[in-house]
Amino acid sequence: MTTPTASSPAPKPLSGIGVSPGLVAGPVARMAPGIPEPAIETLDPARDLDKECERIAQAARTVKKRLELSAAEAKGEGRTLLETTAQMAADPTLTSSSQAMVRERRLVPERAVWEAAGTLCAMLESLGGYMAERTRDVQDVRDRIVAVLTDSPMPGIPHLPEPFVLVAKDLAPADTALLDPEKVVAFVTSEGGPTSHTAILARALGIPAIVGTGTDVTDALSDGDIVLIDGTKGTIILDPSEDALRRARELAQRVRVFNGDGATKDGHEVQLLANVGDGAAARSAAEAGAMGIGLFRTEFCFLDQPTEPTVEQQVEAYTQVLAAFPGKKVVVRTLDAGADKPLPFLTDATEENPALGVRAYRTTRRDPEVLDHQLEALARAEAATEAKVWVMAPMISTVEEARAFTDKARSYGLSTAGMMIEVPSAALMADAMFEHADFASVGTNDLTQYVMAADRLLSTLADLSTAWQPAVLRLIKTACDGAAPHGRPVGVCGEAAADPALAVVLVGLGVASLSMTARALPDVDAVLKSVTLEDCRRIAALAVGAPTAEEARTAVRAELPVLEELGL
């Protein structure tokens, strides 16, 4: 390792996509190499095929149990993702396919699992979109089962006594969910995109993170290298100067809190809300000062359910969330089932393109009673608490859908009913939509994916998969302009809301509330309090008028010197 001198040129930084803000430094610890591909070997004729097949089933059960134990120690979305991965380990598809290869080709169990997983991944990749995202989970389960079968070390995060910067080719959501912010001060991956589950978890955990570097960072960096990670700008500086290290330490020691008073410098209120998936996350959000909940993902309560939960079970789950915010707004999204969140009792896993298929509100076309049960449970939970429930449906695409959903919600006594704006048609038809919807919330992850026709997980398309795209911002403005004559509020609950610079733009476009991971609240609040509403409008015009996403982002950041002061 070399130490820069006054005369030596500064080391050229590596770069990627900053997905979780923060400026931190630390030694590199590379993710251990994955489980090597087993050799193509066949079983000795004397081996009992039934016993070898049972070894596969037992290994899958072991992996499932270990993941469930890890899930019990995790929190919020991390627990949900671990439970989902455990479900995949228990899925009979991989096990039965592997066992068939043992019986038909006499492959050794570890090779059979490897090949069966490869076939399953190829099938998922051919479907594209959200289903393609599941390949990483399949590979993770495959590696864990092979590790059990071969008595190899289980793949996962390094265990070191001192804090470190984790460097990996990629991280499975199950690995990310177990990251300890006290030990892993930041992470960098060669693959991944800005709205992948790994990126979302990094923000939820408050760990600065960079993904999609393109080059293999496990080759570019060595264990023990000191690096400076800027999770906002997406830069990785090797052997940073003492001044840079000092600044990183100073920023790390600053503690900002949110006092529940979201507003611009001139007093224009901006509701700063939290995204949650269960009661524990809601209580944490309340402790963090959130002014309410802007997105309660109800499907997260039921991802591990093989059958539809009873109304009573739903009432219990919803009440836990609502009880954390007495007298405050709780925006509830009805089941967003399908694509990356399949529910066995509601969605069809065989659809060729589930991201464009029968998902979310569209499931009412064949199973309307599921929505009826959910609305009944929400009404009962609201009556049992003091929270103010705002209910909305995801994937609303037409005016007729907006009318049908809001009428049905009100028929159950839920007085404030709205919709998600995730499909371009909803934004373009906002003026007519708001003749029925009381409010709307923009899901920027899906809206960006559909506007730019770019799979959000592909790092090769990461430049397209960002809400900084002027086309996306223009659609958000169209939605706000359509809502204004009706006096209807528009919020944003996608990951864009957690970006302090983008938050200024969104407020300038007319957005009334921003919902995010609770950890992002202090940063967004600090930046909004540095600008007036007129500043927001002027800065938003710069972003909307920019020809590219990068130019929009650069122009906006140039107008917000507070970002550098805060290390954002």
Side-chain angles (χ1 to χ4, degrees):
M1 209 165 5
T2 60
T3 302
T5 64
S7 59
S8 63
K12 183 179 180 180
L14 297 166
S15 64
I17 306 156
V19 295
S20 184
L23 187 69
V24 296
V28 166
R30 292 179 297 181
M31 192 87 161
I35 296 294
E37 179 176 350
I40 302 176
E41 296 180 1
T42 56
L43 292 164
D44 184 276
R47 299 292 285 273
D48 186 326
L49 296 185
D50 288 339
K51 288 184 178 179
E52 297 301 319
C53 288
E54 177 55 29
R55 286 185 61 216
I56 294 175
Q58 181 58 49
R61 289 193 291 269
T62 298
V63 169
K64 176 179 180 290
K65 184 63 176 179
R66 290 179 180 178
L67 286 167
E68 288 174 339
L69 290 173
S70 296
E73 298 175 359
K75 297 179 181 179
E77 293 183 20
R79 183 179 72 246
T80 302
L81 284 166
L82 284 167
E83 289 172 344
T84 303
T85 306
Q87 276 188 293
M88 185 167 289
D91 191 315
T93 303
L94 181 58
T95 299
S96 60
S97 297
S98 304
Q99 291 172 331
M101 290 184 181
V102 170
R103 297 184 191 280
E104 295 168 10
R105 297 168 52 191
R106 301 191 67 87
L107 285 177
V108 294
E110 60 268 28
R111 181 66 196 185
V113 170
W114 193 275
E115 291 195 13
T119 300
L120 180 56
C121 286
M123 183 271 288
L124 292 174
E125 286 175 353
S126 70
L127 296 177
Y130 287 113
M131 295 306 290
E133 295 183 22
R134 309 304 296 172
T135 59
R136 187 67 187 88
D137 296 322
V138 173
Q139 292 165 349
D140 182 32
V141 169
R142 173 202 69 191
D143 289 352
R144 293 171 186 271
I145 293 176
V146 170
V148 172
L149 289 169
T150 59
D151 198 24
S152 302
M154 190 65 66
I157 309 301
H159 294 283
L160 300 175
E162 300 297 328
F164 58 90
V165 174
L166 180 64
V167 172
K169 184 175 181 181
D170 196 10
L171 284 176
D175 286 327
T176 313
L178 292 175
L179 294 181
D180 179 358
E182 297 297 320
K183 284 294 182 71
V184 181
V185 296
F187 71 78
V188 181
T189 64
S190 304
E191 300 178 1
T195 57
S196 65
H197 288 307
T198 298
I200 293 170
L201 276 172
R203 286 187 284 270
L205 291 167
I207 299 176
I210 298 171
V211 302
T213 62
T215 58
D216 189 344
V217 286
T218 59
D219 288 338
L221 298 172
S222 301
D223 291 330
D225 282 346
I226 302 300
V227 292
L228 179 67
I229 303 299
D230 190 327
T232 301
K233 297 178 180 177
T235 57
I236 307 113
I237 298 177
L238 179 63
D239 293 333
S241 67
E242 279 301 320
D243 286 343
L245 291 173
R246 186 179 306 110
R247 173 167 169 71
R249 287 193 293 268
E250 290 173 353
L251 289 172
Q253 291 171 357
R254 295 183 188 178
V255 178
R256 287 190 294 276
V257 296
F258 176 51
N259 296 317
D261 57 348
T264 58
K265 185 178 182 179
D266 56 339
H268 172 74
E269 184 184 66
V270 180
Q271 291 186 333
L272 298 185
L273 313 169
N275 297 339
V276 305
D278 57 22
R283 291 186 289 275
S284 295
E287 292 172 2
M291 300 168 74
I293 293 174
L295 176 62
F296 171 21
R297 305 178 176 99
T298 54
E299 68 279 352
F300 277 28
C301 297
F302 310 117
L303 286 178
D304 59 345
Q305 299 286 339
T307 58
E308 181 190 356
T310 65
V311 171
E312 286 70 25
Q313 288 174 318
Q314 293 186 56
V315 171
E316 181 181 358
Y318 303 154
T319 299
Q320 290 181 27
V321 173
L322 301 184
F325 284 89
K328 296 184 179 180
K329 177 172 74 174
V330 175
V331 180
V332 181
R333 181 178 70 188
T334 57
L335 290 176
D336 188 18
D340 64 332
K341 296 181 287 290
L343 293 176
F345 59 84
L346 191 58
T347 55
D348 180 2
T350 65
E351 283 186 342
E352 291 188 5
N353 194 339
L356 300 178
V358 182
R359 57 172 293 204
Y361 179 71
R362 296 172 181 177
T363 59
T364 61
R365 293 171 180 239
R366 62 184 181 215
D367 294 295
E369 70 282 355
V370 175
L371 177 61
D372 288 320
H373 297 159
Q374 186 170 28
L375 294 176
E376 178 187 349
L378 282 171
R380 286 172 53 182
E382 181 181 32
T385 64
E386 298 177 21
K388 299 175 181 178
V389 171
W390 292 29
V391 64
M392 63 182 180
M395 288 290 288
I396 293 294
S397 304
T398 67
V399 174
E400 175 56 25
E401 288 178 342
R403 183 199 63 77
F405 173 74
T406 53
D407 284 353
K408 174 164 283 195
R410 293 180 188 121
S411 75
Y412 280 91
L414 296 163
S415 59
T416 306
M419 63 182 186
M420 291 284 291
I421 294 179
E422 301 162 291
V423 181
S425 63
L428 292 169
M429 294 293 292
D431 55 345
M433 295 280 193
F434 283 109
E435 291 179 6
H436 306 285
D438 295 321
F439 72 99
S441 189
V442 180
T444 51
N445 297 353
D446 268 329
L447 182 62
T448 300
Q449 177 170 240
Y450 293 135
V451 170
M452 304 307 296
D455 188 330
R456 66 180 189 170
L457 191 67
L458 291 179
S459 57
T460 52
L461 298 178
D463 58 320
L464 299 178
S465 303
T466 170
W468 281 102
Q469 286 289 348
V472 176
L473 297 177
R474 291 185 185 193
L475 274 180
I476 295 174
K477 184 178 187 302
T478 298
C480 292
D481 290 346
H486 301 278
R488 310 298 198 193
V490 175
V492 169
C493 61
E495 292 303 311
D499 181 334
L502 195 47
V504 171
V505 173
L506 295 172
V507 171
L509 295 177
V511 168
S513 64
L514 299 166
S515 191
M516 63 203 75
T517 174
R519 289 179 179 272
L521 290 167
D523 290 340
V524 172
D525 176 56
V527 174
L528 286 178
K529 281 188 167 61
S530 74
V531 292
T532 65
L533 178 58
E534 186 54 40
D535 289 333
C536 294
R537 290 170 174 163
R538 175 179 55 80
I539 292 170
L542 292 175
V544 170
T548 69
E550 186 55 37
E551 288 176 81
R553 186 174 182 275
T554 300
V556 169
R557 291 189 64 85
E559 296 292 319
L560 297 170
V562 68
L563 294 171
E564 287 294 331
E565 296 172 16
L566 298 174
L568 301 173

